[in-house]
Amino acid sequence: MYLKRLEWFLKYHGGEVPGKAAGTLRDKPYSDDLLQPEAPLATLFLEWVGENFPGWPTKTNKLGVSVLETAHAALSSLYGQQLIRKGGSQSRKLMDNSAYHTVYKTIKNRLAAKGERPDASEDPLKNTAGEVMTSHDILRVCQHLMNSNSTAADRNLSLNNWLLSTCGRSDDGRLVFQADFCPPKLIKSLGPAPCWLMSAVVKGGKAQKNGKKGFLGGIRHENAYKDCHAALGRWLVRRYTVEQAPYPDPKDAEAWNKQPMWPAALGSASNVSYDQQYKALIEIMKKLGISTVKVTHTWRVAGAQVMDAAGVDDSVMRRSGKWLYDSLSRSYLEFFKAVGLLGAGGWPGAATNELHMFWHERFVIPTPPELIVLLFPFLPNLEQAIKELAAAASLSMYAAPLILKYLARVVIQDAAGGMSRVHPDHDVHVLLNTSSVFRSVEEEHQRKRAAGYFNPFQPYLMAERMLNFESLLLDVVEAVQSGKRADVLDAPAMRRMQLAQQQQLLQDQEAQHCELERVLEIADRERADSGTQGAEDDETDAGGN
């Protein structure tokens, strides 16, 4: 671009010719020789750049340091080429010329405006950590999409939640195919609830050029509205069961591998476009009164901020969001660390590495097989088709039933855990409520919740445990000092006595059991001895005859 401007400059610029205005055709073009002493052409061209290209026929953007540096790089490249053609020393640099260097530094210092604030006309929060959506804003967007109860809304909620939980760029979701998803993977270090990772191989887009591949993935979110697993499951139920779009045939490998996870429209073979994603999100943000410079990219930034607020280490964040590329993690490891998944999922404990905090009562709701088939009625035929392919089936084909079954369980659990009652008109919940089995599962869970059944399973952070212990200790001290509970000090001794009594009871029961076993053993031995003696007597009688 700058060489084209240089070519125009040589023909049209009249800055040093009396009576010539900028942009007027010169009587004689400049020479393009940059090797002249004092480099007059390079210096003059740089001054023209510093004035923001006066006379240039098209509109120019605001001049900045980056523009000056790019122009200098173009001149330096041309200078080097001319130097090589004339056999000069390649160690010479254009910046070695004192006149050129002086002009360059003068313009740069002026543009940098050292010690001064940037232009006040620009929003100071633009493109900073202060201008993205807040956690509450994101929740409002999720709730709005859930309330919309439409095919497009379910697709967009699934895509948005995927990018939020994985710190993904827009193209990390838009360009993903169904065949890119890996089977659910159990993260054993997170609990106490079973923690499954949903991940996908990412190809193409900004970070995966020249054949590079990456991984993105996330676990279930602490908040059901932001849960990428549940949103993905509802989207697939909507797409293939409610709307009855045909599921890809595993016997058609090409169609199988090219099925978009988030298509432009139902039945479309094209991925959702950036323009679609952008316009849909802008429309929601206007309705909700949310204003940010970043739109589709806000999910990536918000995901990183969630992990940062949870205390996740920067290196883990870079790895989770593919900000880091190296041969080890690209070729042998997935981009996931347990603490990063915990933080990205909105769970407490990431900062202190307390991996036992992954727990929610909805995660343990039973999911009868008939409900899975209700959500994905084509699943048995799909499994049979893949089974018939045998060795010809690809890895993604074997993964598909596992993914569908897992996502169906997530949808059932979130629905029975409360989402069905909050959003009873959502088509997926309407489908589930046609089943008496689901209604029974939901009622049983609500009964257990009301009875406090899940309370003992709720994990606590170490800080919470310490606060609870300190509170209990203060209660004991206050009770003793006030004289209201003089027997508090005797409580440990009483408890020890109770435990001793229980232990003694167990020992007595064990002793009685052992005694009974001994008596039975003696009786068996006596019966055996009696039988042996009888046999001997029979033999004696027979011999006597």
Side-chain angles (χ1 to χ4, degrees):
M1 179 181 75
Y2 285 93
L3 293 182
K4 288 184 178 179
R5 296 197 180 196
L6 177 61
E7 182 179 352
W8 181 93
F9 178 84
L10 297 177
K11 295 180 179 179
Y12 289 91
H13 186 266
E16 90 299 352
V17 180
K20 288 284 186 179
T24 303
L25 185 65
R26 291 181 55 80
D27 297 331
K28 182 181 180 181
Y30 286 136
S31 166
D32 66 353
D33 185 8
L34 299 180
L35 304 182
Q36 299 175 19
E38 300 302 320
L41 174 63
T43 303
L44 196 60
F45 179 76
L46 205 62
E47 289 176 341
W48 180 65
V49 172
E51 295 169 0
N52 202 12
F53 312 99
W56 179 251
T58 59
K59 182 180 179 181
T60 57
N61 296 324
K62 181 179 178 181
L63 183 65
V65 174
S66 61
V67 174
L68 177 70
E69 291 176 341
T70 307
H72 165 65
L75 287 173
S76 296
S77 175
L78 181 60
Y79 180 84
Q81 295 172 14
Q82 292 180 359
L83 200 62
I84 292 173
R85 286 198 297 267
K86 291 194 174 182
S89 172
Q90 296 184 30
S91 62
R92 287 174 54 188
K93 304 295 182 185
L94 181 58
M95 197 65 81
D96 294 339
N97 185 286
S98 59
Y100 179 87
H101 182 268
T102 300
V103 170
Y104 177 84
K105 293 296 291 184
T106 300
I107 298 174
K108 186 172 183 179
N109 289 340
R110 172 168 54 82
L111 293 175
K114 291 184 177 180
E116 299 180 9
R117 277 181 60 90
D119 186 359
S121 63
E122 183 175 299
D123 185 351
L125 296 184
K126 181 179 178 180
N127 292 322
T128 70
E131 65 92 12
V132 296
M133 288 191 198
T134 65
S135 180
H136 180 62
D137 289 336
I138 291 172
L139 178 60
R140 292 169 62 208
V141 171
C142 294
Q143 290 172 334
H144 176 85
L145 288 169
M146 191 69 189
N147 287 325
S148 298
N149 187 24
S150 67
T151 301
D154 281 356
R155 178 199 64 193
N156 294 341
L157 178 59
S158 175
L159 175 57
N160 293 345
N161 282 2
W162 171 255
L163 297 178
L164 175 67
S165 293
T166 62
C167 295
R169 299 178 177 88
S170 170
D171 50 31
D172 290 330
R174 293 185 300 100
L175 304 183
V176 170
F177 294 108
Q178 285 188 192
D180 295 333
F181 273 77
C182 308
K185 178 180 179 181
L186 182 64
I187 306 298
K188 296 181 180 180
S189 57
L190 291 176
C195 181
W196 293 91
L197 167 72
M198 281 294 297
S199 61
V201 179
V202 182
K203 304 175 183 177
K206 180 178 179 180
Q208 288 76 229
K209 297 179 180 178
N210 300 321
K212 288 182 178 179
K213 298 179 182 179
F215 282 94
L216 281 181
I219 60 175
R220 297 181 71 175
H221 203 282
E222 186 273 339
N223 187 297
Y225 283 102
K226 300 178 182 179
D227 195 320
C228 67
H229 294 197
L232 181 59
R234 284 192 298 269
W235 159 236
L236 294 180
V237 174
R238 163 81 69 178
R239 182 178 180 181
Y240 294 118
T241 303
V242 176
E243 302 292 349
Q244 298 185 350
Y247 195 82
D249 185 356
K251 295 179 181 178
D252 185 349
E254 183 176 359
W256 177 276
N257 292 331
K258 293 183 178 180
Q259 181 78 351
M261 177 57 81
W262 294 285
L266 202 63
S268 172
S270 301
N271 298 73
V272 62
S273 68
Y274 174 82
D275 190 53
Q276 278 182 285
Q277 186 187 12
Y278 178 87
K279 288 181 178 179
L281 191 52
I282 278 290
E283 182 180 351
I284 295 173
M285 290 167 64
K286 287 181 178 178
K287 287 182 179 179
L288 301 180
I290 300 171
S291 177
T292 64
V293 175
K294 295 180 178 67
V295 181
T296 61
H297 203 66
T298 194
W299 305 113
R300 177 169 172 80
V301 179
Q305 289 188 341
V306 167
M307 285 197 282
D308 187 49
V312 176
D313 184 78
D314 289 358
S315 62
V316 175
M317 291 166 55
R318 287 197 299 270
R319 179 164 168 170
S320 298
K322 299 191 292 78
W323 280 284
L324 177 68
Y325 252 122
D326 57 62
S327 57
L328 175 65
S329 56
R330 184 169 66 246
S331 303
Y332 302 102
L333 303 177
E334 292 180 331
F335 284 84
F336 315 114
K337 289 294 184 182
V339 66
L341 293 171
L342 196 68
W347 299 97
T352 49
N353 210 36
E354 297 183 64
L355 304 182
H356 65 280
M357 294 304 296
F358 182 81
W359 159 260
H360 199 284
E361 61 186 45
R362 74 183 196 270
F363 295 171
V364 294
I365 297 175
T367 53
E370 53 264 50
L371 292 183
I372 296 176
V373 176
L374 174 66
L375 293 180
F376 295 121
F378 58 86
L379 191 54
N381 291 337
L382 175 65
E383 290 182 303
Q384 181 60 33
I386 294 171
K387 184 178 180 181
E388 291 173 359
L389 286 173
S394 65
L395 294 176
S396 65
M397 293 176 186
Y398 281 111
L402 300 176
I403 293 171
L404 292 172
K405 288 179 180 179
Y406 169 72
L407 293 177
R409 289 196 294 269
V410 173
V411 170
I412 295 165
Q413 289 176 337
D414 275 24
M419 291 293 276
S420 175
R421 298 193 174 195
V422 178
H423 301 279
D425 297 329
H426 191 281
D427 290 345
V428 174
H429 298 156
V430 171
L431 175 64
L432 281 171
N433 276 296
T434 61
S435 169
S436 59
V437 175
F438 172 76
R439 294 195 300 271
S440 176
V441 169
E442 184 180 35
E443 290 169 2
E444 176 65 13
H445 176 71
Q446 298 301 329
R447 185 189 65 77
K448 287 183 176 180
R449 174 191 285 173
Y453 175 85
F454 302 106
N455 294 344
F457 301 99
Q458 176 63 47
Y460 292 95
L461 295 168
M462 182 59 67
E464 293 174 325
R465 294 178 185 176
M466 295 298 294
L467 287 173
N468 290 339
F469 175 77
E470 184 177 354
S471 178
L472 177 62
L473 181 61
L474 290 174
D475 289 343
V476 171
V477 171
E478 182 181 357
V480 173
Q481 291 178 346
S482 65
K484 295 179 180 179
R485 290 293 304 274
D487 60 331
V488 170
L489 295 178
D490 297 329
M494 292 173 62
R495 181 59 181 155
R496 285 197 298 272
M497 183 176 68
Q498 291 172 353
L499 291 174
Q501 291 174 347
Q502 293 175 3
Q503 186 66 27
Q504 185 61 48
L505 179 61
L506 291 174
Q507 291 176 354
D508 292 344
Q509 291 175 345
E510 183 69 21
Q512 292 174 5
H513 177 75
C514 292
E515 179 63 21
L516 180 61
E517 288 286 338
R518 190 178 66 81
V519 171
L520 293 174
E521 182 180 353
I522 292 173
D524 289 341
R525 189 163 56 246
E526 288 178 348
R527 281 196 297 271
D529 292 343
S530 175
T532 302
Q533 184 61 45
E536 291 176 353
D537 292 343
D538 290 341
E539 290 178 1
T540 301
D541 292 341
N545 291 335

